[in-house]
Amino acid sequence: AQSVTQLGSHVSVSEGALVLLRCNYSSSVPPYLFWYVQYPNQGLQLLLKYTSAATLVKGINGFEAEFKKSETSFHLTKPSAHMSDAAEYFCAVIPNYGGSQGNLIFGKGTKLSVKP
Amino acid sequence: EPEVTQTPSHQVTQMGQEVILRCVPISNHLYFYWYRQILGQKVEFLVSFYNNEISEKSEIFDDQFSVERPDGSNFTLKIRSTKLEDSAMYFCASIAGRYTGELFFGEGSRLTVL
């Protein structure tokens, strides 16, 4: 079964520092991969998605992620953290492409804290 | 901007009671989902719904759960006899078409079972 693993349940960075949130996937076929963000007391919002086009994907709020097949990774980065980036970030995959209706399988999430 | 709306935002219920969580998906979307997130844990898929029937369900979605689209706009999740472990945030989501991948989520309904 396809799954995603997010390393680190909690990441803390200083404002202006690089943000790196790690995600590794397991898949026997090229997956669709996603990053969602959840701000406090809100629903999930799509940050970006990889659907087998460009390997470097740019999303909203200055975030980007790079699909690396050799490493089975899809890490999320942002060059300079802002206080408003504090949220929980979820990596997700669509399993069994070709048989699924599109339901996502989520990682456990990484809570990002940004210190002033 | 169109959005998925959920009611209630928070419901407290006694163990054994029936609960109905309501969702209004985006109007031109065709696929509907329920996910749940137990406090401190990951978001888990419960069920997907298309063409007025369940298309997929997880092992979490047992006989206590049911979904319905009673009219052209609402999509409901019913829990027949709630258990303590049903306490969670329940998210409704919808998607325009298959494989586009961009699920649009509601803000969630927090269910607390006492």
Side-chain angles (χ1 to χ4, degrees), chain B:
Chain B
E1 185 177 325
E3 58 181 18
V4 176
T5 57
Q6 290 186 242
T7 54
S9 57
H10 189 190
Q11 180 158 356
V12 181
T13 190
Q14 296 291 323
M15 191 168 57
Q17 294 296 303
E18 176 183 284
V19 161
I20 297 176
L21 305 178
R22 292 181 168 79
C23 169
V24 180
I26 294 174
S27 62
N28 63 341
H29 284 188
L30 300 177
Y31 298 86
F32 314 111
Y33 303 82
W34 283 101
Y35 285 79
R36 79 171 184 191
Q37 184 182 27
I38 296 172
L39 187 64
Q41 298 186 26
K42 65 179 177 180
V43 179
E44 301 173 291
F45 167 73
L46 290 178
V47 65
S48 61
F49 192 87
Y50 170 72
N51 199 27
N52 285 319
E53 60 183 20
I54 290 173
S55 49
E56 285 187 73
K57 60 182 181 179
S58 71
E59 58 190 27
I60 301 168
F61 193 88
D62 61 22
D63 292 344
Q64 295 280 53
F65 292 91
S66 62
V67 289
E68 196 177 35
R69 190 157 162 82
D71 52 42
S73 59
N74 289 285
F75 178 51
T76 61
L77 175 69
K78 181 192 289 187
I79 309 174
R80 287 191 183 81
S81 179
T82 50
K83 303 187 284 287
L84 294 176
E85 54 265 37
D86 294 327
S87 295
M89 181 74 91
Y90 289 81
F91 292 104
C92 176
S94 68
I95 192 171
R98 197 170 176 173
Y99 308 133
T100 64
E102 185 171 355
L103 267 66
F104 289 82
F105 285 85
E107 293 193 352
S109 293
R110 181 169 295 286
L111 175 64
T112 302
V113 182
L114 302 176

Side-chain angles (χ1 to χ4, degrees), chain A residues 2-91:
Chain A
Q2 294 188 23
S3 65
V4 289
T5 302
Q6 291 184 242
L7 296 176
S9 59
H10 193 187
V11 170
S12 182
V13 300
S14 297
E15 192 172 20
L18 170 73
V19 175
L20 170 61
L21 305 181
R22 299 177 187 274
C23 173
N24 288 88
Y25 67 91
S26 64
S27 173
S28 58
V29 297
Y32 279 10
L33 290 158
F34 308 83
W35 277 99
Y36 278 81
V37 60
Q38 184 180 25
Y39 297 104
N41 301 315
Q42 293 187 28
L44 294 146
Q45 179 184 3
L46 181 69
L47 264 183
L48 49 81
K49 66 179 179 182
Y50 167 76
T51 56
S52 69
T55 56
L56 182 63
V57 182
K58 294 186 185 299
I60 61 172
N61 302 337
F63 284 92
E64 61 182 38
E66 186 172 7
F67 173 72
K68 290 188 177 180
K69 186 178 178 181
S70 61
E71 300 177 7
T72 61
S73 69
F74 190 58
H75 302 331
L76 182 70
T77 60
K78 182 174 180 177
S80 176
H82 192 271
M83 297 296 291
S84 61
D85 294 326
E88 189 148 20
Y89 293 80
F90 293 91
C91 186

